[in-house]
C-alpha cells in the first residue's frame, strides 16, 4: 500500500471511531444518562490495554475492564470476585470454585478452561505477552482443570500468601478470544477507544454478571500537567480529578460545587539507610535520626496536612496487618542530641556541626524525580537535621535505579523512596522484597537473624492469627533497628463535582471506577 493510501485509510478509520464515539454519547444523552470524564496523569502502555503487559493490569482493573479471581475489598480483606470460593487443600495445592453465569465482553462464558488460558498466556515463556514478574510472583508448578467451574493451582513450594497473589491486577481473567485485536474481560465496563497519551474510553457492559454500572461510559483524560488538569476540572471539563493537588484543598473545600475525597493508602515514604559504612552503621545515630526528624512538619508543609499520615510501621493503619502497637517516633531534638552524644559525636570547634570519628557528621541524602513530594521532603529534613548538628548534602536524580545503585555502592547515606507496601494486600511482599536476607533488592544489605527466621516462618504459616503475630514482630524489629526509616504513608486526594455520587478511593489503589458511581443532575 502506498504512503498516501495509508494516510487516507488512517484518517477514515479515525473518523469512523470518532463518529461511533459521538453516536454512543448521543444515545447516552437521549436516554438521560451522562458519561463521566476523569482526569488522570498517565495511561496504559498497550493498545488495547492488556493486563499481561508490564503494569497495565492495574489500569485495566482501575477502569473496570478486567477482574481477578480474588480481590481486596475497600477494607483490604481478601474476598472472592470471579471465584465463588477458594480453599487450601495442601501446603502447595489451592482450589478455586468459579462463579457461574459470568460472561466475557465477547459473550463467551467464564469457565475453568478460560482461567487456565489467562494464566498460560502470561506464564508461558513462548507467549508474546509472557510476564516474568507475574511468573516469579506466583511460583506455580501447574494449573489443572478439575471440572467446568473448578481450577486447581499447584505451587512449587508452600506459600501461605498464594491466595493474595491471585488478587494481583495483572492476573485479570480474559476470554480465550483475547489478543492483539481485542481484550475481553468480565468487568462492568468494556474497552471502547484509546488515543495514546490523550484518552481511554470504556462503555458500560450490559451483560455484566453483577450490579449494572451506573454510568453509560467513562472517559479517562490523560494529562501530566497538574495545572492544566486543575484548570480543566474547575472549568467543568472534568467531572473527577483523580490526583488533586494537596495545596489546593483548603482553597476549594468550602465550595459546594465540589467534593474532596481523601484516604490513606498502602504507599509508604521512607528512607533506606546505609548500614555497612559511614555514620549510620552506628545504631544510636540511626535512632537519633528518628527523633531529629519532625514528620508532622513534613506532612503539614509538604503535603498540606492532607496528602499523608505520619508513619510508624512500614504498613499503614488501613492495612489489617499493621502493628497497631507501634507509634510514630515523637519529634524530640533533645533526645536526638543525647543519642548522638552517646554515639561519640561532639561539636569540638563549636561551629554547629558535630564531628564523628574525627570528621564532620555529614550525610549524603539522595532521592529521585517522578514523585513531587520527594524533593521538598528531603529539603525539609535537611533543615531539621541541621537543628541537631548534622550536616547533609542533597542529590536528586532522574531514576530510582540510580538511587538504588548509590545505596548499594555506599555512595549515599540516605535514599528517600516511595513504594506500595502491600500491592496484593499481604505483608510478606514488602519485608521480603526490600529487607529479606536473600533478596537482590535488599540494597543496604540488611541482615537480622531473627527477622530472617521469621520471614521463612511467615511464608509457610497458614494460620492467619499466627501469621499476624509473626509480622507484628517483624515490624517491631524494623521499627527498632531502622534499616528503613518510615516518614509517612501517602493519602490519596481526589476531587469531584457534586453531581458525581459514590466515588471512593481504594487504599490499595486497585479500583477507580466501580458500578456504584453515577451522575445525578
Amino acid at each position: 500500500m502506498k504512503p498516501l493510501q495509508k494516510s487516507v485509510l488512517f484518517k477514515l478509520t479515525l473518523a469512523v471511531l470518532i463518529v461511533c464515539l459521538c453516536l454512543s454519547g448521543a444515545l447516552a444523552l437521549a436516554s438521560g444518562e451522562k458519561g463521566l470524564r476523569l482526569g488522570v496523569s498517565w495511561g496504559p502502555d498497550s493498545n488495547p490495554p492488556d493486563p499481561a503487559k508490564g503494569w497495565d493490569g492495574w489500569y485495566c482493573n482501575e477502569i473496570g475492564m478486567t477482574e481477578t479471581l480474588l480481590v481486596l475489598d475497600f477494607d483490604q480483606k481478601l474476598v472472592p470476585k470471579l471465584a465463588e470460593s477458594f480453599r487450601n487443600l495442601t501446603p502447595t495445592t489451592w482450589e478455586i470454585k468459579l462463579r457461574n453465569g459470568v460472561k466475557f465482553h465477547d459473550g463467551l462464558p467464564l469457565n475453568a478452561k478460560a482461567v487456565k488460558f489467562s494464566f498460560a498466556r502470561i506464564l508461558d515463556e513462548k507467549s508474546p505477552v509472557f510476564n516474568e514478574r507475574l511468573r516469579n510472583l506466583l511460583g506455580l508448578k501447574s494449573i489443572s482443570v478439575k471440572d467446568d467451574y473448578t481450577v486447581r493451582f499447584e505451587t512449587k513450594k508452600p506459600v501461605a500468601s498464594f491466595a493474595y497473589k491471585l488478587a494481583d491486577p495483572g492476573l485479570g481473567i480474559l476470554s480465550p478470544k483475547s489478543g492483539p485485536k481485542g481484550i475481553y474481560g468480565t468487568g462492568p465496563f468494556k474497552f471502547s477507544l484509546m488515543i495514546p497519551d490523550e484518552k481511554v474510553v470504556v462503555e458500560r457492559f450490559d451483560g455484566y454478571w453483577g450490579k449494572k454500572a451506573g454510568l453509560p461510559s467513562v472517559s479517562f483524560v490523560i494529562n501530566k500537567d497538574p495545572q492544566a488538569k486543575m484548570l480543566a476540572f474547575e472549568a467543568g471539563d472534568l467531572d473527577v480529578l483523580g490526583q488533586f493537588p494537596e495545596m489546593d484543598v483548603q482553597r476549594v473545600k468550602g465550595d459546594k460545587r465540589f467534593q474532596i475525597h481523601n484516604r490513606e493508602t498502602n504507599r509508604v515514604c521512607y528512607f533506606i539507610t546505609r548500614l555497612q559504612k559511614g555514620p549510620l552503621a552506628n545504631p544510636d545515630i540511626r535512632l537519633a535520626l528518628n527523633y531529629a526528624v519532625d514528620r508532622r512538619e513534613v506532612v503539614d508543609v509538604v503535603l498540606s496536612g492532607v496528602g499523608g499520615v505520619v508513619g510508624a510501621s512500614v504498613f499503614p493503619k488501613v492495612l489489617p496487618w499493621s502493628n497497631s502497637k507501634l507509634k510514630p517516633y515523637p519529634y524530640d531534638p533533645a533526645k536526638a542530641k543525647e543519642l548522638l552524644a552517646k554515639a561519640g559525636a561532639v561539636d569540638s570547634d563549636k561551629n554547629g556541626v558535630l564531628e564523628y570519628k574525627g570528621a564532620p557528621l555529614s550525610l549524603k541524602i539522595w532521592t529521585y524525580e517522578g514523585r513531587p513530594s520527594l524533593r521538598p521532603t528531603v529539603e525539609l529534613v535537611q533543615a531539621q537535621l541541621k537543628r541537631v548538628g548534622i550536616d547533609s548534602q542533597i542529590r536528586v536524580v532522574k531514576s530510582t535505579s540510580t538511587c538504588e545503585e548509590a545505596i548499594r555502592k555506599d555512595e549515599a547515606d540516605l535514599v528517600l523512596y516511595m513504594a506500595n507496601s502491600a500491592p496484593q494486600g499481604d505483608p510478606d511482599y514488602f519485608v521480603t522484597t526490600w529487607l529479606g536476607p536473600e533478596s537482590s533488592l535488599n540494597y543496604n544489605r540488611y541482615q537480622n537473624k531473627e527477622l530472617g527466621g521469621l520471614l521463612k516462618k511467615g511464608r509457610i504459616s497458614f494460620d492467619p492469627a499466627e501469621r499476624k503475630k509473626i509480622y507484628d514482630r517483624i515490624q517491631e524489629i524494623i521499627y527498632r533497628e531502622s534499616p528503613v526509616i518510615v516518614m509517612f504513608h501517602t493519602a490519596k486526594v481526589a476531587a469531584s463535582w457534586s453531581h458525581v455520587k459514590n466515588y471512593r478511593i481504594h487504599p490499595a489503589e486497585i479500583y477507580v471506577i466501580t458500578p456504584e458511581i453515577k451522575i445525578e443532575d
Side-chain angles (χ1 to χ4, degrees):
M1 187 179 290
K2 295 180 180 179
L4 182 60
Q5 291 175 315
K6 287 183 177 180
S7 176
V8 172
L9 181 60
F10 172 78
K11 290 178 180 178
L12 285 170
T13 303
L14 184 60
V16 169
L17 285 171
I18 292 171
V19 168
C20 290
L21 188 60
C22 291
L23 285 172
S24 173
L27 289 171
L29 287 172
S31 65
E33 294 183 298
K34 294 180 181 179
L36 186 82
R37 301 157 300 171
L38 190 149
V40 295
S41 298
W42 53 79
D45 294 322
S46 53
N47 186 7
D50 189 331
K53 294 185 178 180
W55 295 91
D56 279 359
W58 292 86
Y59 207 94
C60 292
N61 211 79
E62 288 177 345
I63 65 180
M65 185 176 133
T66 58
E67 296 174 311
T68 48
L69 295 173
L70 307 178
V71 72
L72 296 178
D73 65 14
F74 277 82
D75 294 320
Q76 301 203 84
K77 294 177 181 177
L78 188 67
V79 296
K81 188 69 175 182
L82 292 180
E84 184 178 85
S85 63
F86 64 99
R87 60 178 179 151
N88 178 225
L89 301 179
T90 73
T92 58
T93 309
W94 297 77
E95 184 175 273
I96 306 292
K97 289 281 188 182
L98 297 175
R99 191 181 294 276
N100 204 337
V102 177
K103 288 186 178 181
F104 291 104
H105 297 157
D106 62 359
L108 289 181
L110 170 74
N111 55 33
K113 289 183 179 179
V115 170
K116 187 173 181 178
F117 159 81
S118 293
F119 280 83
R121 72 191 294 268
I122 293 170
L123 304 179
D124 184 356
E125 291 188 9
K126 296 180 181 179
S127 169
V129 291
F130 166 66
N131 190 306
E132 186 175 9
R133 178 188 73 84
L134 292 171
R135 181 192 64 180
N136 295 339
L137 173 75
L138 293 169
L140 282 173
K141 182 179 179 180
S142 65
I143 305 174
S144 59
V145 173
K146 185 180 177 183
D147 57 46
D148 284 350
Y149 291 97
T150 308
V151 185
R152 281 189 179 174
F153 294 91
E154 183 83 20
T155 58
K156 294 177 182 177
K157 55 185 178 181
V159 183
S161 62
F162 179 76
Y164 282 91
K165 298 177 190 294
L166 295 178
D168 189 293
L171 300 174
I173 305 302
L174 302 180
S175 162
K177 288 187 178 180
S178 295
K181 294 183 179 180
I183 299 296
Y184 309 108
T186 60
F189 292 90
K190 58 184 179 180
F191 177 75
S192 176
L193 170 70
M194 175 175 167
I195 302 176
D197 299 321
E198 289 188 29
K199 72 162 61 175
V200 176
V201 180
V202 292
E203 295 179 349
R204 180 169 54 212
F205 175 45
D206 290 328
Y208 183 55
W209 61 270
K211 180 179 180 180
K212 181 180 178 181
L215 297 167
S217 65
V218 182
S219 297
F220 295 83
V221 183
I222 303 165
N223 193 325
K224 294 181 179 180
D225 185 345
Q227 188 63 30
K229 282 187 296 186
M230 186 70 188
L231 290 172
F233 174 74
E234 292 196 51
D237 296 327
L238 296 172
D239 301 294
V240 178
L241 187 54
Q243 291 168 305
F244 194 81
E246 295 94 346
M247 65 184 70
D248 288 307
V249 169
Q250 290 302 322
R251 181 175 63 81
V252 302
K253 203 169 184 179
D255 194 324
K256 293 183 179 180
R257 296 177 300 165
F258 307 128
Q259 303 172 78
I260 298 296
H261 310 271
N262 183 217
R263 189 173 186 186
E264 185 178 2
T265 71
N266 290 350
R267 197 166 294 280
V268 58
C269 181
Y270 60 98
F271 281 108
I272 303 174
T273 59
R274 179 189 181 193
L275 300 174
Q276 307 305 318
K277 297 179 181 179
L280 299 186
N282 188 317
D284 285 325
I285 295 181
R286 295 201 303 275
L287 185 57
L289 292 189
N290 278 295
Y291 291 102
V293 170
D294 188 345
R295 294 167 175 80
R296 171 50 56 192
E297 184 181 28
V298 171
V299 169
D300 287 345
V301 174
V302 177
L303 304 172
S304 300
V306 295
V309 178
V310 172
S313 166
V314 292
F315 300 126
K317 293 179 181 178
V318 293
L319 189 71
W321 297 98
S322 179
N323 185 337
S324 60
K325 294 180 180 179
L326 298 180
K327 306 300 179 185
Y329 281 97
Y331 176 54
D332 191 341
K335 179 69 173 177
K337 290 178 180 179
E338 179 185 321
L339 287 163
L340 291 168
K342 179 184 175 184
V346 295
D347 185 7
S348 57
D349 56 7
K350 308 300 180 184
N351 69 345
V353 177
L354 298 169
E355 294 97 44
Y356 177 69
K357 293 186 176 181
L361 180 49
S362 184
L363 303 178
K364 298 182 182 68
I365 305 177
W366 289 42
T367 192
Y368 54 93
E369 298 174 357
R371 299 267 177 194
S373 60
L374 295 181
R375 181 191 286 269
T377 295
V378 294
E379 291 173 345
L380 186 51
V381 167
Q382 181 184 47
Q384 293 172 351
L385 294 180
K386 189 175 182 180
R387 298 171 197 166
V388 298
I390 299 176
D391 183 43
S392 59
Q393 300 86 44
I394 293 172
R395 183 172 178 184
V396 182
V397 297
K398 288 187 176 181
S399 68
T400 57
S401 60
T402 304
C403 284
E404 291 158 0
E405 280 300 300
I407 205 80
R408 191 196 299 274
K409 294 179 179 178
D410 294 314
E411 294 174 352
D413 296 292
L414 292 167
V415 167
L416 188 64
Y417 210 89
M418 200 175 282
N420 190 326
S421 63
Q424 289 90 36
D426 187 82
D428 184 66
Y429 169 81
F430 182 91
V431 289
T432 292
T433 300
W434 301 107
L435 299 171
E438 299 174 359
S439 174
S440 62
L441 300 181
N442 183 349
Y443 298 119
N444 58 4
R445 307 185 293 286
Y446 174 62
Q447 297 289 324
N448 179 287
K449 189 174 181 180
E450 182 187 0
L451 183 138
L454 288 168
L455 287 175
K456 289 181 179 179
K457 189 177 179 181
R459 285 194 288 271
I460 60 173
S461 296
F462 289 81
D463 176 23
E466 179 63 23
R467 291 192 82 218
K468 181 68 169 70
K469 292 178 182 177
I470 291 169
Y471 287 98
D472 275 357
R473 176 56 185 156
I474 287 172
Q475 292 168 72
E476 290 172 0
I477 294 171
I478 296 168
Y479 179 85
R480 185 189 72 239
E481 294 202 344
S482 298
V484 298
I485 295 176
V486 175
M487 292 297 294
F488 57 83
H489 294 100
T490 62
K492 188 171 182 179
V493 181
S496 66
W497 279 73
S498 59
H499 57 252
V500 177
K501 306 299 179 182
N502 305 326
Y503 177 86
R504 300 172 70 189
I505 293 174
H506 194 287
E509 303 175 82
I510 289 177
Y511 292 122
V512 173
I513 299 300
T514 62
E516 290 75 20
I517 300 177
K518 59 183 179 179
I519 290 178
E520 291 182 355
D521 291 333

